[in-house]
């Protein structure tokens, strides 16, 4: 995607073919900063401190993190240790495990002296496949938006609600939930996006709003609890969100607050779709509520809020009395029965094992 006329991806190989460049998302929307990662430790830190976030981008960063680790040692013991460290960074997003296991499958059989070059090649393929998958998600989701547009009075935009950030910043490029929005805008279909602020880290306010503004797409920011009210008054035509993990049975684990939006959408007969690449499906899990580990983050994210002061510095200020305890589950699980459909790179299916196997029959063995 483009920032001030220049094309960027959320992650790319540096010009020297060694380091990795990522956009520091903790600085957005106030400062646009590209940082270079040169070691496994820096890749682990970027994932843990959320310089990079979003399930597909976390996976791509982990893949390149293994490349950086192999520059120090390519022995099997080191390979296994770096995989263990990376998979421990964020427990909920399944793309992290998927990418690391794919890298291990490529590298384990090789002699040590061949592993480094092979790792860079495989990490590059993971990134290119993510871009292609997200672009395809955009094409499939475009059909849903176009269908809603045809039902509306002439000239009225399609109003789409999204939660958290599932745009290009959450992937290598294009995004998942926002890919259909970008595709619709490119096709000349008028769209308007309702952007949940997404407390406590405000990824909607900081990242999604920034993306949409850069793309020139009309949008309004909402407090998280306003979506149901807008649905009751017919102001939302469609909900599209991303996912950090989808079970084989179609349950969706996504940023905290997604479940409540799905409940409101069901009560108001608003279609609720989830956009994801196949790498986000966890075929080892059937029941989301009991089998998906939910990351618990620090209470400081709930007790404070980050913003830019008059001097241009990014600061965190307290929003609760000193000593107030807080809990901070980062994700929740939306049962498959509340999901209208899953938008994937292979098409749109029901949120069920049968629906997913219809698109991914190779997983049925």
């Amino acid at each position: 995607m483009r920032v001030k006329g220049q094309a960027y991806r959320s992650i790319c190989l540096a010009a020297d073919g060694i380091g990795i460049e990522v956009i520091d998302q903790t600085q957005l929307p106030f400062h646009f900063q590209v940082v270079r990662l040169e070691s496994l430790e820096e890749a682990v830190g970027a994932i843990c401190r959320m310089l990079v976030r979003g399930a597909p981008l976390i996976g791509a960063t982990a893949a390149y993190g293994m490349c950086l680790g192999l520059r120090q040692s390519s022995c099997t013991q080191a390979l296994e240790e770096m995989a263990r460290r990376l998979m421990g960074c964020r427990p909920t997003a399944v793309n992290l495990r998927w990418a690391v296991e794919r890298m291990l499958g490529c590298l384990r059989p090789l002699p040590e002296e061949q592993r480094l070059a092979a790792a860079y090649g495989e990490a590059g393929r993971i990134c290119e496949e993510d871009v292609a998958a997200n672009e395809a998600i955009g094409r499939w989701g475009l059909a849903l938006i176009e269908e809603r547009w045809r039902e509306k009075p002439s000239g009225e935009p399609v109003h789409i609600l999204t939660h958290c950030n599932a745009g290009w910043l959450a992937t290598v490029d294009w995004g998942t939930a926002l890919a259909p929005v970008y595709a619709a805008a490119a096709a000349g279909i008028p769209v308007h996006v309702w952007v949940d602020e997404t407390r406590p880290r405000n990824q909607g306010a900081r990242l999604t709003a920034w993306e949409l503004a850069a793309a020139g797409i009309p949008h309004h920011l909402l407090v998280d609890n306003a979506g149901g009210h807008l649905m009751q008054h017919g102001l939302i035509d469609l909900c599209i969100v991303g996912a950090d993990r989808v079970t084989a049975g179609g349950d969706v684990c996504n940023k905290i607050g997604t479940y409540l939006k799905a409940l409101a959408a069901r009560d108001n007969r608003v279609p609720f779709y989830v956009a994801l690449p196949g790498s986000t499906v966890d075929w080892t899990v059937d029941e989301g509520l009991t089998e998906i580990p939910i990351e618990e983050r620090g209470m400081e994210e709930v007790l404070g809020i980050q913003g830019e002061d008059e001097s241009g510095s990014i600061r965190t200020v307290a929003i609760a009395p000193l000593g107030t305890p807080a809990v901070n589950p980062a994700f929740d699980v939306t049962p498959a029965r509340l999901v209208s459909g899953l938008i994937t790179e292979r098409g749109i299916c029901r949120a069920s094992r049968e629906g997913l196997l219809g698109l991914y029959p190779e997983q049925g063995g």
Side-chain angles (χ1 to χ4, degrees), residues 120-142:
Y120 275 102
E122 189 70 359
R125 282 186 288 274
I126 286 173
C127 288
E128 293 303 323
E129 289 170 16
D130 183 66
V131 174
N134 296 329
E135 193 170 10
I137 287 169
R139 292 195 299 271
W140 287 107
L142 169 60

Side-chain angles (χ1 to χ4, degrees), residues 130-152:
D130 183 66
V131 174
N134 296 329
E135 193 170 10
I137 287 169
R139 292 195 299 271
W140 287 107
L142 169 60
L144 294 173
I145 297 174
E146 187 173 22
E147 180 182 354
R148 301 295 291 182
W149 181 51
R150 293 183 188 279
E151 298 171 352
K152 296 178 70 68

